[in-house]
Amino acid sequence: MVVCGLACWRCRWLLPLLLGLAIIMGIIALAGRGWLESESEPYVQQASLWESCTRGEEDLNWNCESLMDYGWGRAAAATYLVGFVILVICFALAVIAFSIEILRFNFVRGIGGLLFVVAAFQIIGLVIYPVKFTEEIPLTGDNMFSWAYGFGWASTVVVIGCAFFFCCLPNWEDEVLGNIKPSCYYSSPERAPYLN
């Protein structure tokens, strides 16, 4: 006999865990200096969300300028940071929602809506940065948007996925709460002739 059903009482912590992963990736993106880097030697340029640094081919010291002096730099940082703060709030709300015995599924759907807002803010910041950076900052040599910028996009993709799951979760309220009896399917028709 095979028993099919959604055993989600323990699995319900997967969504807050994924939000925690998105927070970790967001912290790496916010703190990382690898938003833009020189692609090959000599490594003469690197940038973060907050500043752009260059150096000469023989120079060991980086000369940095703040991107907060540019309107687009403040806009990119602000939109990504606002999205990150809302993400942290959604994580706290998700932990609270999944900690109580009787889940309030409309509350969970609201978290999903907030996560779409997070994704919108993060996408705006992640699009403003490369477009305006390449227009207004003189680039030296071959450059690439690097690992910290990739962590920003990875965080956004996880947030979008979680937003869909949080919005769709109330459709399976009974399965998550264990209110329905699992369906049983028999593997051979000889054992259950009344099914024919």
Side-chain angles (χ1 to χ4, degrees), residues 18 20-37 49 80 84 87 122-123 126 145-159:
L18 286 172
L21 180 66
I23 288 172
I24 291 169
M25 289 187 286
I27 290 170
I28 292 170
L30 286 168
R33 293 185 61 98
W35 277 58
L36 180 123
E37 293 180 332
L49 182 59
Y80 194 84
F84 180 78
L87 174 61
Q122 287 185 340
I123 288 170
L126 289 166
F145 290 97
S146 191
W147 58 272
Y149 184 70
F151 273 107
W153 276 110
S155 173
T156 304
V157 168
V158 170
V159 165

Side-chain angles (χ1 to χ4, degrees), residues 39-56:
E39 191 170 342
S40 59
E41 288 189 37
Y43 299 108
V44 294
Q45 187 146 14
Q46 71 177 11
S48 68
L49 182 59
W50 313 103
E51 63 185 3
S52 174
C53 300
T54 57
R55 69 178 177 186

Side-chain angles (χ1 to χ4, degrees), residues 9 12-13 16 91-104 107-108 111 166 177:
W9 191 247
R12 67 187 175 160
W13 291 107
F91 174 74
L93 292 174
V95 168
I96 292 168
F98 287 115
S99 294
I100 56 178
E101 291 294 321
I102 300 173
L103 295 173
R104 294 189 175 97
F107 183 59
V108 171
I111 294 171
F166 271 97
L177 293 175

